[in-house]
PDB file of all heavy atoms in Angstrom:
ATOM      1  N   PHE A 164     112.766 108.838 108.192  1.00  0.00           N
ATOM      2  CA  PHE A 164     112.192 107.576 107.771  1.00  0.00           C
ATOM      3  C   PHE A 164     112.611 106.502 108.749  1.00  0.00           C
ATOM      4  O   PHE A 164     113.764 106.481 109.188  1.00  0.00           O
ATOM      5  CB  PHE A 164     112.671 107.171 106.375  1.00  0.00           C
ATOM      6  CG  PHE A 164     112.180 108.079 105.289  1.00  0.00           C
ATOM      7  CD1 PHE A 164     113.028 109.005 104.721  1.00  0.00           C
ATOM      8  CD2 PHE A 164     110.873 108.009 104.861  1.00  0.00           C
ATOM      9  CE1 PHE A 164     112.577 109.847 103.720  1.00  0.00           C
ATOM     10  CE2 PHE A 164     110.417 108.846 103.863  1.00  0.00           C
ATOM     11  CZ  PHE A 164     111.265 109.760 103.290  1.00  0.00           C
ATOM     12  N   ARG A 165     111.681 105.605 109.036  1.00  0.00           N
ATOM     13  CA  ARG A 165     112.003 104.482 109.894  1.00  0.00           C
ATOM     14  C   ARG A 165     113.021 103.600 109.163  1.00  0.00           C
ATOM     15  O   ARG A 165     112.796 103.198 108.025  1.00  0.00           O
ATOM     16  CB  ARG A 165     110.724 103.680 110.166  1.00  0.00           C
ATOM     17  CG  ARG A 165     110.882 102.652 111.239  1.00  0.00           C
ATOM     18  CD  ARG A 165     109.522 102.032 111.556  1.00  0.00           C
ATOM     19  NE  ARG A 165     109.678 100.882 112.410  1.00  0.00           N
ATOM     20  CZ  ARG A 165     109.966  99.666 111.976  1.00  0.00           C
ATOM     21  NH1 ARG A 165     110.118  99.452 110.697  1.00  0.00           N
ATOM     22  NH2 ARG A 165     110.091  98.673 112.835  1.00  0.00           N
ATOM     23  N   GLY A 166     114.134 103.344 109.801  1.00  0.00           N
ATOM     24  CA  GLY A 166     115.159 102.508 109.189  1.00  0.00           C
ATOM     25  C   GLY A 166     116.347 103.302 108.666  1.00  0.00           C
ATOM     26  O   GLY A 166     117.363 102.736 108.291  1.00  0.00           O
ATOM     27  N   ILE A 167     116.199 104.625 108.608  1.00  0.00           N
ATOM     28  CA  ILE A 167     117.333 105.456 108.197  1.00  0.00           C
ATOM     29  C   ILE A 167     117.679 106.385 109.353  1.00  0.00           C
ATOM     30  O   ILE A 167     116.936 107.309 109.674  1.00  0.00           O
ATOM     31  CB  ILE A 167     117.000 106.253 106.923  1.00  0.00           C
ATOM     32  CG1 ILE A 167     116.744 105.269 105.771  1.00  0.00           C
ATOM     33  CG2 ILE A 167     118.150 107.202 106.582  1.00  0.00           C
ATOM     34  CD1 ILE A 167     116.455 105.927 104.452  1.00  0.00           C
ATOM     35  N   GLY A 168     118.797 106.134 109.971  1.00  0.00           N
ATOM     36  CA  GLY A 168     119.219 106.922 111.125  1.00  0.00           C
ATOM     37  C   GLY A 168     120.304 107.912 110.756  1.00  0.00           C
ATOM     38  O   GLY A 168     120.567 108.167 109.579  1.00  0.00           O
ATOM     39  N   GLU A 169     120.955 108.411 111.778  1.00  0.00           N
ATOM     40  CA  GLU A 169     121.949 109.460 111.594  1.00  0.00           C
ATOM     41  C   GLU A 169     123.081 109.043 110.649  1.00  0.00           C
ATOM     42  O   GLU A 169     123.438 109.749 109.726  1.00  0.00           O
ATOM     43  CB  GLU A 169     122.540 109.778 112.975  1.00  0.00           C
ATOM     44  CG  GLU A 169     122.876 111.233 113.163  1.00  0.00           C
ATOM     45  CD  GLU A 169     123.340 111.484 114.598  1.00  0.00           C
ATOM     46  OE1 GLU A 169     122.649 110.998 115.536  1.00  0.00           O
ATOM     47  OE2 GLU A 169     124.378 112.122 114.756  1.00  0.00           O
ATOM     48  N   SER A 170     123.608 107.860 110.909  1.00  0.00           N
ATOM     49  CA  SER A 170     124.787 107.417 110.174  1.00  0.00           C
ATOM     50  C   SER A 170     124.495 107.195 108.691  1.00  0.00           C
ATOM     51  O   SER A 170     125.280 107.597 107.825  1.00  0.00           O
ATOM     52  CB  SER A 170     125.310 106.124 110.811  1.00  0.00           C
ATOM     53  OG  SER A 170     126.284 105.557 110.013  1.00  0.00           O
ATOM     54  N   ILE A 171     123.362 106.568 108.398  1.00  0.00           N
ATOM     55  CA  ILE A 171     123.040 106.320 106.994  1.00  0.00           C
ATOM     56  C   ILE A 171     122.658 107.623 106.298  1.00  0.00           C
ATOM     57  O   ILE A 171     122.994 107.834 105.126  1.00  0.00           O
ATOM     58  CB  ILE A 171     121.947 105.227 106.869  1.00  0.00           C
ATOM     59  CG1 ILE A 171     122.560 103.875 107.261  1.00  0.00           C
ATOM     60  CG2 ILE A 171     121.383 105.165 105.461  1.00  0.00           C
ATOM     61  CD1 ILE A 171     121.684 102.670 107.047  1.00  0.00           C
ATOM     62  N   TYR A 172     122.008 108.525 107.023  1.00  0.00           N
ATOM     63  CA  TYR A 172     121.710 109.841 106.438  1.00  0.00           C
ATOM     64  C   TYR A 172     122.988 110.569 106.028  1.00  0.00           C
ATOM     65  O   TYR A 172     123.060 111.194 104.970  1.00  0.00           O
ATOM     66  CB  TYR A 172     120.905 110.712 107.413  1.00  0.00           C
ATOM     67  CG  TYR A 172     119.471 110.845 106.993  1.00  0.00           C
ATOM     68  CD1 TYR A 172     118.442 110.412 107.805  1.00  0.00           C
ATOM     69  CD2 TYR A 172     119.140 111.388 105.745  1.00  0.00           C
ATOM     70  CE1 TYR A 172     117.126 110.513 107.417  1.00  0.00           C
ATOM     71  CE2 TYR A 172     117.823 111.495 105.348  1.00  0.00           C
ATOM     72  CZ  TYR A 172     116.819 111.048 106.176  1.00  0.00           C
ATOM     73  OH  TYR A 172     115.527 111.148 105.779  1.00  0.00           O
ATOM     74  N   ALA A 173     123.990 110.466 106.881  1.00  0.00           N
ATOM     75  CA  ALA A 173     125.264 111.114 106.559  1.00  0.00           C
ATOM     76  C   ALA A 173     125.837 110.536 105.270  1.00  0.00           C
ATOM     77  O   ALA A 173     126.375 111.265 104.431  1.00  0.00           O
ATOM     78  CB  ALA A 173     126.245 110.919 107.712  1.00  0.00           C
ATOM     79  N   LYS A 174     125.670 109.217 105.100  1.00  0.00           N
ATOM     80  CA  LYS A 174     126.200 108.574 103.892  1.00  0.00           C
ATOM     81  C   LYS A 174     125.396 108.971 102.658  1.00  0.00           C
ATOM     82  O   LYS A 174     125.936 109.146 101.566  1.00  0.00           O
ATOM     83  CB  LYS A 174     126.218 107.059 104.085  1.00  0.00           C
ATOM     84  CG  LYS A 174     127.252 106.641 105.121  1.00  0.00           C
ATOM     85  CD  LYS A 174     127.325 105.151 105.309  1.00  0.00           C
ATOM     86  CE  LYS A 174     128.428 104.774 106.274  1.00  0.00           C
ATOM     87  NZ  LYS A 174     128.178 105.220 107.672  1.00  0.00           N
ATOM     88  N   ILE A 175     124.101 109.143 102.843  1.00  0.00           N
ATOM     89  CA  ILE A 175     123.264 109.591 101.723  1.00  0.00           C
ATOM     90  C   ILE A 175     123.703 110.991 101.285  1.00  0.00           C
ATOM     91  O   ILE A 175     123.890 111.265 100.100  1.00  0.00           O
ATOM     92  CB  ILE A 175     121.770 109.604 102.123  1.00  0.00           C
ATOM     93  CG1 ILE A 175     121.277 108.172 102.390  1.00  0.00           C
ATOM     94  CG2 ILE A 175     120.931 110.275 101.048  1.00  0.00           C
ATOM     95  CD1 ILE A 175     119.895 108.090 103.014  1.00  0.00           C
ATOM     96  N   LYS A 176     123.908 111.852 102.267  1.00  0.00           N
ATOM     97  CA  LYS A 176     124.349 113.226 101.958  1.00  0.00           C
ATOM     98  C   LYS A 176     125.696 113.222 101.252  1.00  0.00           C
ATOM     99  O   LYS A 176     125.909 113.950 100.284  1.00  0.00           O
ATOM    100  CB  LYS A 176     124.440 114.057 103.245  1.00  0.00           C
ATOM    101  CG  LYS A 176     123.098 114.588 103.706  1.00  0.00           C
ATOM    102  CD  LYS A 176     123.271 115.435 104.935  1.00  0.00           C
ATOM    103  CE  LYS A 176     122.802 116.867 104.699  1.00  0.00           C
ATOM    104  NZ  LYS A 176     122.895 117.656 105.939  1.00  0.00           N
ATOM    105  N   GLU A 177     126.579 112.363 101.754  1.00  0.00           N
ATOM    106  CA  GLU A 177     127.904 112.274 101.133  1.00  0.00           C
ATOM    107  C   GLU A 177     127.767 111.854  99.671  1.00  0.00           C
ATOM    108  O   GLU A 177     128.419 112.406  98.788  1.00  0.00           O
ATOM    109  CB  GLU A 177     128.766 111.251 101.895  1.00  0.00           C
ATOM    110  CG  GLU A 177     130.198 111.196 101.380  1.00  0.00           C
ATOM    111  CD  GLU A 177     130.986 110.019 101.956  1.00  0.00           C
ATOM    112  OE1 GLU A 177     130.488 109.345 102.868  1.00  0.00           O
ATOM    113  OE2 GLU A 177     132.101 109.780 101.445  1.00  0.00           O
ATOM    114  N   TYR A 178     126.870 110.912  99.421  1.00  0.00           N
ATOM    115  CA  TYR A 178     126.682 110.432  98.049  1.00  0.00           C
ATOM    116  C   TYR A 178     126.120 111.540  97.152  1.00  0.00           C
ATOM    117  O   TYR A 178     126.547 111.722  96.018  1.00  0.00           O
ATOM    118  CB  TYR A 178     125.753 109.218  98.035  1.00  0.00           C
ATOM    119  CG  TYR A 178     125.610 108.622  96.653  1.00  0.00           C
ATOM    120  CD1 TYR A 178     126.647 107.883  96.093  1.00  0.00           C
ATOM    121  CD2 TYR A 178     124.461 108.833  95.896  1.00  0.00           C
ATOM    122  CE1 TYR A 178     126.541 107.360  94.812  1.00  0.00           C
ATOM    123  CE2 TYR A 178     124.335 108.309  94.624  1.00  0.00           C
ATOM    124  CZ  TYR A 178     125.384 107.573  94.086  1.00  0.00           C
ATOM    125  OH  TYR A 178     125.274 107.065  92.815  1.00  0.00           O
TER     126      TYR A 178
END
Side-chain angles (χ1 to χ4, degrees):
Chain A
F164 293 104
R165 191 173 170 276
I167 297 182
E169 215 175 313
S170 170
I171 289 187
Y172 253 120
K174 291 182 176 67
I175 294 170
K176 279 182 119 176
E177 185 190 351
Y178 184 74

